[in-house]
PDB file of all heavy atoms in Angstrom:
ATOM      1  N   SER A 436      15.560  37.750  11.817  1.00  0.00           N
ATOM      2  CA  SER A 436      14.217  37.679  12.381  1.00  0.00           C
ATOM      3  C   SER A 436      13.210  37.279  11.299  1.00  0.00           C
ATOM      4  O   SER A 436      12.229  36.599  11.588  1.00  0.00           O
ATOM      5  CB  SER A 436      13.803  38.991  13.071  1.00  0.00           C
ATOM      6  OG  SER A 436      14.062  40.092  12.268  1.00  0.00           O
ATOM      7  N   GLU A 437      13.506  37.633  10.035  1.00  0.00           N
ATOM      8  CA  GLU A 437      12.644  37.162   8.952  1.00  0.00           C
ATOM      9  C   GLU A 437      12.702  35.620   8.849  1.00  0.00           C
ATOM     10  O   GLU A 437      11.658  34.962   8.693  1.00  0.00           O
ATOM     11  CB  GLU A 437      13.138  37.780   7.639  1.00  0.00           C
ATOM     12  CG  GLU A 437      12.153  37.777   6.517  1.00  0.00           C
ATOM     13  CD  GLU A 437      12.695  38.511   5.300  1.00  0.00           C
ATOM     14  OE1 GLU A 437      12.711  39.757   5.303  1.00  0.00           O
ATOM     15  OE2 GLU A 437      13.147  37.834   4.356  1.00  0.00           O
ATOM     16  N   ILE A 438      13.902  35.091   8.991  1.00  0.00           N
ATOM     17  CA  ILE A 438      14.053  33.623   8.909  1.00  0.00           C
ATOM     18  C   ILE A 438      13.274  32.954  10.054  1.00  0.00           C
ATOM     19  O   ILE A 438      12.587  31.963   9.851  1.00  0.00           O
ATOM     20  CB  ILE A 438      15.566  33.240   8.964  1.00  0.00           C
ATOM     21  CG1 ILE A 438      16.263  33.677   7.690  1.00  0.00           C
ATOM     22  CG2 ILE A 438      15.719  31.737   9.181  1.00  0.00           C
ATOM     23  CD1 ILE A 438      17.751  33.539   7.703  1.00  0.00           C
ATOM     24  N   ILE A 439      13.389  33.542  11.245  1.00  0.00           N
ATOM     25  CA  ILE A 439      12.674  32.954  12.399  1.00  0.00           C
ATOM     26  C   ILE A 439      11.160  32.963  12.107  1.00  0.00           C
ATOM     27  O   ILE A 439      10.456  31.994  12.377  1.00  0.00           O
ATOM     28  CB  ILE A 439      12.960  33.743  13.694  1.00  0.00           C
ATOM     29  CG1 ILE A 439      14.468  33.740  13.987  1.00  0.00           C
ATOM     30  CG2 ILE A 439      12.161  33.227  14.867  1.00  0.00           C
ATOM     31  CD1 ILE A 439      15.030  32.430  14.475  1.00  0.00           C
ATOM     32  N   ASN A 440      10.690  34.070  11.496  1.00  0.00           N
ATOM     33  CA  ASN A 440       9.267  34.150  11.173  1.00  0.00           C
ATOM     34  C   ASN A 440       8.851  33.140  10.102  1.00  0.00           C
ATOM     35  O   ASN A 440       7.723  32.673  10.113  1.00  0.00           O
ATOM     36  CB  ASN A 440       8.898  35.562  10.703  1.00  0.00           C
ATOM     37  CG  ASN A 440       8.768  36.505  11.876  1.00  0.00           C
ATOM     38  OD1 ASN A 440       8.426  36.072  12.979  1.00  0.00           O
ATOM     39  ND2 ASN A 440       9.047  37.778  11.632  1.00  0.00           N
ATOM     40  N   LEU A 441       9.743  32.865   9.178  1.00  0.00           N
ATOM     41  CA  LEU A 441       9.437  31.888   8.135  1.00  0.00           C
ATOM     42  C   LEU A 441       9.301  30.487   8.732  1.00  0.00           C
ATOM     43  O   LEU A 441       8.726  29.613   8.113  1.00  0.00           O
ATOM     44  CB  LEU A 441      10.526  31.883   7.057  1.00  0.00           C
ATOM     45  CG  LEU A 441      10.572  33.086   6.112  1.00  0.00           C
ATOM     46  CD1 LEU A 441      11.860  33.052   5.279  1.00  0.00           C
ATOM     47  CD2 LEU A 441       9.370  33.059   5.168  1.00  0.00           C
ATOM     48  N   SER A 442       9.884  30.301   9.907  1.00  0.00           N
ATOM     49  CA  SER A 442       9.965  29.021  10.627  1.00  0.00           C
ATOM     50  C   SER A 442      10.134  27.825   9.672  1.00  0.00           C
ATOM     51  O   SER A 442       9.239  26.993   9.538  1.00  0.00           O
ATOM     52  CB  SER A 442       8.779  28.841  11.572  1.00  0.00           C
ATOM     53  OG  SER A 442       7.658  28.383  10.925  1.00  0.00           O
ATOM     54  N   PRO A 443      11.313  27.741   9.055  1.00  0.00           N
ATOM     55  CA  PRO A 443      11.568  26.614   8.163  1.00  0.00           C
ATOM     56  C   PRO A 443      11.726  25.310   8.949  1.00  0.00           C
ATOM     57  O   PRO A 443      11.922  25.338  10.160  1.00  0.00           O
ATOM     58  CB  PRO A 443      12.909  27.000   7.501  1.00  0.00           C
ATOM     59  CG  PRO A 443      13.578  27.871   8.507  1.00  0.00           C
ATOM     60  CD  PRO A 443      12.490  28.627   9.200  1.00  0.00           C
ATOM     61  N   ASP A 444      11.618  24.196   8.227  1.00  0.00           N
ATOM     62  CA  ASP A 444      11.846  22.902   8.853  1.00  0.00           C
ATOM     63  C   ASP A 444      13.358  22.634   8.978  1.00  0.00           C
ATOM     64  O   ASP A 444      13.811  21.949   9.880  1.00  0.00           O
ATOM     65  CB  ASP A 444      11.204  21.783   8.043  1.00  0.00           C
ATOM     66  CG  ASP A 444       9.694  21.911   8.028  1.00  0.00           C
ATOM     67  OD1 ASP A 444       9.117  22.121   9.092  1.00  0.00           O
ATOM     68  OD2 ASP A 444       9.090  21.844   6.920  1.00  0.00           O
ATOM     69  N   ILE A 445      14.101  23.167   8.010  1.00  0.00           N
ATOM     70  CA  ILE A 445      15.560  23.011   8.011  1.00  0.00           C
ATOM     71  C   ILE A 445      16.157  24.290   7.419  1.00  0.00           C
ATOM     72  O   ILE A 445      15.582  24.887   6.509  1.00  0.00           O
ATOM     73  CB  ILE A 445      16.030  21.834   7.123  1.00  0.00           C
ATOM     74  CG1 ILE A 445      15.402  20.502   7.566  1.00  0.00           C
ATOM     75  CG2 ILE A 445      17.549  21.703   7.090  1.00  0.00           C
ATOM     76  CD1 ILE A 445      15.728  19.323   6.658  1.00  0.00           C
ATOM     77  N   LEU A 446      17.332  24.690   7.933  1.00  0.00           N
ATOM     78  CA  LEU A 446      18.064  25.795   7.310  1.00  0.00           C
ATOM     79  C   LEU A 446      19.348  25.212   6.749  1.00  0.00           C
ATOM     80  O   LEU A 446      20.051  24.459   7.427  1.00  0.00           O
ATOM     81  CB  LEU A 446      18.355  26.903   8.321  1.00  0.00           C
ATOM     82  CG  LEU A 446      19.088  28.136   7.747  1.00  0.00           C
ATOM     83  CD1 LEU A 446      18.495  29.414   8.331  1.00  0.00           C
ATOM     84  CD2 LEU A 446      20.571  28.091   7.994  1.00  0.00           C
ATOM     85  N   LEU A 447      19.662  25.543   5.506  1.00  0.00           N
ATOM     86  CA  LEU A 447      20.897  25.090   4.870  1.00  0.00           C
ATOM     87  C   LEU A 447      21.862  26.264   4.808  1.00  0.00           C
ATOM     88  O   LEU A 447      21.599  27.255   4.143  1.00  0.00           O
ATOM     89  CB  LEU A 447      20.599  24.538   3.461  1.00  0.00           C
ATOM     90  CG  LEU A 447      21.792  24.088   2.636  1.00  0.00           C
ATOM     91  CD1 LEU A 447      22.617  23.056   3.343  1.00  0.00           C
ATOM     92  CD2 LEU A 447      21.314  23.531   1.287  1.00  0.00           C
ATOM     93  N   LEU A 448      22.973  26.141   5.561  1.00  0.00           N
ATOM     94  CA  LEU A 448      23.940  27.215   5.640  1.00  0.00           C
ATOM     95  C   LEU A 448      25.162  26.883   4.778  1.00  0.00           C
ATOM     96  O   LEU A 448      25.848  25.888   5.044  1.00  0.00           O
ATOM     97  CB  LEU A 448      24.364  27.410   7.114  1.00  0.00           C
ATOM     98  CG  LEU A 448      25.408  28.477   7.410  1.00  0.00           C
ATOM     99  CD1 LEU A 448      24.934  29.863   7.022  1.00  0.00           C
ATOM    100  CD2 LEU A 448      25.783  28.448   8.894  1.00  0.00           C
ATOM    101  N   THR A 449      25.397  27.680   3.740  1.00  0.00           N
ATOM    102  CA  THR A 449      26.544  27.432   2.879  1.00  0.00           C
ATOM    103  C   THR A 449      27.311  28.744   2.693  1.00  0.00           C
ATOM    104  O   THR A 449      26.880  29.775   3.206  1.00  0.00           O
ATOM    105  CB  THR A 449      26.110  26.948   1.484  1.00  0.00           C
ATOM    106  OG1 THR A 449      25.490  28.041   0.787  1.00  0.00           O
ATOM    107  CG2 THR A 449      25.134  25.790   1.549  1.00  0.00           C
ATOM    108  N   GLY A 450      28.391  28.702   1.947  1.00  0.00           N
ATOM    109  CA  GLY A 450      29.173  29.889   1.666  1.00  0.00           C
ATOM    110  C   GLY A 450      30.636  29.538   1.562  1.00  0.00           C
ATOM    111  O   GLY A 450      31.163  28.834   2.420  1.00  0.00           O
ATOM    112  N   GLY A 451      31.259  30.010   0.483  1.00  0.00           N
ATOM    113  CA  GLY A 451      32.684  29.771   0.308  1.00  0.00           C
ATOM    114  C   GLY A 451      32.956  28.422  -0.315  1.00  0.00           C
ATOM    115  O   GLY A 451      32.303  27.437   0.022  1.00  0.00           O
ATOM    116  N   THR A 452      33.918  28.357  -1.224  1.00  0.00           N
ATOM    117  CA  THR A 452      34.385  27.092  -1.748  1.00  0.00           C
ATOM    118  C   THR A 452      35.316  26.502  -0.681  1.00  0.00           C
ATOM    119  O   THR A 452      35.667  27.188   0.280  1.00  0.00           O
ATOM    120  CB  THR A 452      35.197  27.318  -3.034  1.00  0.00           C
ATOM    121  OG1 THR A 452      36.193  28.298  -2.771  1.00  0.00           O
ATOM    122  CG2 THR A 452      34.316  27.805  -4.162  1.00  0.00           C
ATOM    123  N   ASP A 453      35.686  25.241  -0.828  1.00  0.00           N
ATOM    124  CA  ASP A 453      36.647  24.646   0.136  1.00  0.00           C
ATOM    125  C   ASP A 453      37.944  25.428   0.055  1.00  0.00           C
ATOM    126  O   ASP A 453      38.485  25.596  -1.027  1.00  0.00           O
ATOM    127  CB  ASP A 453      36.851  23.165  -0.172  1.00  0.00           C
ATOM    128  CG  ASP A 453      35.654  22.330   0.286  1.00  0.00           C
ATOM    129  OD1 ASP A 453      34.845  22.850   1.066  1.00  0.00           O
ATOM    130  OD2 ASP A 453      35.568  21.174  -0.140  1.00  0.00           O
TER     131      ASP A 453
END
Side-chain angles (χ1 to χ4, degrees):
Chain A
S436 49
E437 199 176 283
I438 291 172
I439 300 288
N440 282 332
L441 287 169
S442 82
D444 295 313
I445 302 175
L446 182 139
L447 176 56
L448 178 62
T449 70
T452 52
D453 284 345

